[in-house]
Amino acid sequence: MNTAVVIAIIFLYAAFVHAQQPTGSPDDDEQPVRISTSLIQLDVLVTDKNGNPVTDLRPDDLVVFQDGKRQEIVGFSYEDGQNPQDRRRSGGERDKNEKGIQRPPVSVRRAEGRLITFVLDDGNCFATRDGLSIMANEMRSFIDTKMLPDDRVAIYRTASGSSLLQLYTSDRSVLRRIVNKLHLNPSRSCFSTFGSEKSSSSGAGRSQILTSIGVLDQVLERVKSVPSRKSIFFLSEGLPVRIDRSSREALNELYDKAARSSVVINPFNTRGLTNPATLEVNPDLLPDLVTGIDRSQPGFETPEDEERTLGEGLADIANGTGGRYIRNSNRLDIDIARVLQVQSAYYLIAYEPNIDTFRSKAFHQIEVTAVRPDLVVTARQGFFGRSNEAAAPGYKTPDSPLYQAIASPFAENSLDVKTTFLAGHSANVGHYLRTLIHIKGSDLALLIDDRRQGKVSFDVVAVVLDEKGKLVDEFNRTYPITISSEGLQFVERNGLDYSTDIPIKTPGVYSIRFAIRNNNTKSIGSAGELLTVPRIRDRELFVTGLAVSGVGNNGKPVLTARRPVATAFEPSASLSVPAVRMFNRGETLYYAYSVHNWSQVREKDATSLSREVRLYRNGKEVVSLAAASLENVSVAGDKRLNAFGTIRLGDEFEAGDYALQIVIRDKGSNRVATQWIDFEVMY
């Protein structure tokens, strides 16, 4: 890493800076699945014939087999992981208020909503226009009508060139944008002999299968750090997994990783409702997939054989990971809601493996059955003979953990950092992404030298990716920091702020990732966000740069300005700075924002605009300021204006998380734009 100039921070400068459980659970680990040389711990779903969870079983109601041999159950518990709020909240159109304005997510800081992962198999050589159309329409339906306000959703694609560095987001517009990019790749090749989408190429089918499995494997790698049971929905038109041994080996590796990552995969067959009578035979002859030799035989004997084979691949994935195979259905939104509800409750069972289990790297088959014949048991298919510790990745360089934090879709919080990311534009700089970071004083772990100076150094890594996953910019720097003895008490109480701007040349949707490591403790904090950089010259009305802060003793807001890269760290003035956004009751909250592309009747005339301010808590509107003219307006050029206002957080504000939403209406063009930001009120 590069080394910056040592930053000397002194006190004088800092002072003026603006369920039911039949028996005990065998392990207190939060992971539902655990594989060690002394204990195999599995999550098992049990439902009745109607698909409803069965909650009253005891250990002797289930039977576990490993490699065909019955195992003694030594741990047994029932886990109901469904958030009670999920039973009350509604998604889709009810997330909008009476005027059709989209509400902010219920809880952003606490991240209490469902975690939902989609993998869209648009790179599959069996993909058809009809299948992709079903996939896109059903995804849009889920996003618009079934996605809950605080759901966090990530959408991965298997098409070549698609990004595998997705962030989880509650922003429906970002998710729709990903779905809208689904398209059929005309250059793909496969050995399907039925329908109009046909082609032939040796090894193409096998290669594509391994590619789809490889994408699933990488997604598992990204979600495994979440300490809970996770569901992945795999939308595909089919995988012929019976091609060769390498496909089977790849699937077994996938199933092993799914078990260790506490993930179930639910394939959804996007061929929809199938009528075999409508399948047409195509007489084209195809080469052998493994050797490439032309055997002068059709790829499948009958259309029904193709349908069955492709479906068996998806069913195999569901069976191998303990998921559910969804087929002959055109209602993805309803099926997903049902699967999420059912899979949130499961039995956690454990047994002690025999002495030979870990003496080889063989794949061990698991089967779980119910004594009662009317019950349906869904469990994982098996695992390789290596413990979780042996399967853990080994870092090759000291910096790998930092870059792992950048690549993860989840925040690393061994170093507790508060973050705010803003998209902005100015006439002299152009488009930019502003990164605001706060590190608590208690997390600095300062080393005190013989001169009573505090010392610490931070490694900072940041990357910006465009919506195709292409690297736009990156940042890599080390900051040695020295704090004078006079400033120690102030900094240890208030912490440090970090601020820098990253220029953006082209408007669009960007993913910004940030990771910081305290080299005194080796602890890491990371964060990321999806931001939209508006096209300033377009006709669409935009609100950008919404930030909140406290008001200082001088009556002015406590703002964090752009700083030179070498001196990006400064002492924090208070907890109400824009990076932290924590306020005491009785404080005045200051909010600032920019409006783009508004209708100018005359130069520097903003009378066509009105603003509404709303505050939400737990998804409910608690404060609403009626439409009024914008306050404290300054026109900045390029059809952009800046404005700000204040709200007093009186004693009626209960402690907790809030969201502030700004709604701008342009009466001159009948357009509406909105943006929101979360903050916390303390006791």
Side-chain angles (χ1 to χ4, degrees), residues 581-610:
R581 310 189 304 280
M582 297 176 66
F583 302 86
N584 291 312
R585 280 184 290 189
E587 277 193 81
T588 297
L589 179 146
Y590 170 100
Y591 59 91
Y593 56 94
S594 297
V595 182
H596 302 266
N597 299 332
W598 52 287
S599 299
Q600 290 178 283
V601 179
R602 298 184 304 275
E603 186 179 0
K604 297 185 179 181
D605 182 9
T607 57
S608 66
L609 299 178
S610 67

Side-chain angles (χ1 to χ4, degrees), residues 7-18 444 481-497 553 558-559 563 569-574 577:
I7 305 171
I9 303 178
I10 62 173
F11 177 79
L12 292 177
Y13 179 68
F16 295 97
V17 173
H18 287 96
L444 295 177
I481 299 174
T482 299
I483 301 173
S484 68
S485 58
E486 294 87 351
L488 274 179
Q489 186 177 3
F490 183 90
V491 171
E492 289 178 337
R493 181 176 68 249
N494 289 351
L496 294 175
D497 289 337
N553 295 330
V558 182
L559 296 178
R563 303 180 187 131
F569 278 99
E570 285 188 3
S572 181
S574 71
V577 295

Side-chain angles (χ1 to χ4, degrees), residues 310-321:
L310 296 180
E312 285 177 353
L314 299 180
D316 196 285
I317 291 177
N319 181 57
T321 64

